[in-house]
Amino acid sequence: MTDFEPKFKPGSKIHAMSERGGIPLAVVVSAANRNDHRELEAVVDSVAPVKVPAGRPRRRPHKLHGDKGYDYPACRNALRRRGIIARIARRGIESAKRLGRHRYVIERTLEWVSRFRRLARRYEHKAAHYTAFAQLACAVICYRRAVKLDLLIHNNPK
């Protein structure tokens, strides 16, 4: 193999977006050899609308924190077009320690998702099945958090 041939890395990568507490809002699966910044728009666009008591439902977050892997002008422009403030560490300028507390939230969320044995090792051959299991894992995480915080009204005897 020469240096000019593309290198293929088998496997898949999970891209996720979570809220401040770690609850997953969206999950997208891509090939393992695909850069993170190429999937940013797909992840941001897959966030479902949030219902509020009055007014138009909020579709996207106000701010988005990202690590140095998303420090590209295309990512910043895509977020700006959607009305999102980009809080992305700049390569070569800012240290990785500065976004540590924000990065920990998404790393913890990805760890919760990878606890599901079906996602830790990919058994499915079709990407659509693997994506469905990742979304199901996120739904289970949300349900477990709602039970823990006693947010479900049908289980609440009050």
Side-chain angles (χ1 to χ4, degrees), residues 43-140:
V43 174
V44 171
D45 290 339
S46 64
V47 174
V50 178
K51 293 184 179 181
V52 292
R56 200 172 79 203
R58 178 94 176 130
R59 181 150 175 85
R60 295 188 179 92
H62 182 67
K63 290 189 292 189
L64 190 119
H65 290 271
D67 61 356
K68 294 179 183 185
Y70 297 99
D71 185 29
Y72 290 93
C75 293
R76 293 183 186 276
N77 292 335
L79 293 174
R80 193 176 300 117
R81 279 194 311 269
R82 289 166 175 78
I84 300 172
I85 298 170
R87 303 282 187 194
I88 300 173
R90 293 174 289 178
R91 291 176 283 168
I93 297 173
E94 297 175 1
S95 68
K97 296 176 184 176
R98 200 165 163 209
L99 283 175
R101 63 179 180 196
H102 301 291
R103 183 175 167 81
Y104 171 73
V105 174
I106 193 66
E107 292 297 332
R108 181 181 61 190
T109 302
L110 290 173
E111 195 272 327
W112 288 344
V113 171
S114 67
R115 281 186 185 176
F116 291 87
R117 186 172 38 175
R118 191 98 187 188
L119 296 173
R121 177 162 180 168
R122 184 171 173 172
Y123 294 105
E124 289 78 27
H125 293 289
K126 293 186 177 182
H129 294 175
Y130 188 73
T131 303
F133 278 116
Q135 291 173 346
L136 183 62
C138 291
V140 170

Side-chain angles (χ1 to χ4, degrees), residues 8-77:
F8 177 72
K9 182 177 177 184
S12 55
K13 190 187 298 185
I14 296 176
H15 305 273
M17 178 187 271
S18 71
E19 53 93 31
R20 188 174 284 177
I23 301 295
L25 299 175
V27 64
V28 174
V29 177
S30 71
N33 60 344
R34 191 140 163 98
N35 289 339
D36 290 339
H37 76 278
R38 302 218 183 260
E39 298 297 324
L40 178 69
E41 291 186 52
V43 174
V44 171
D45 290 339
S46 64
V47 174
V50 178
K51 293 184 179 181
V52 292
R56 200 172 79 203
R58 178 94 176 130
R59 181 150 175 85
R60 295 188 179 92
H62 182 67
K63 290 189 292 189
L64 190 119
H65 290 271
D67 61 356
K68 294 179 183 185
Y70 297 99
D71 185 29
Y72 290 93
C75 293
R76 293 183 186 276
N77 292 335

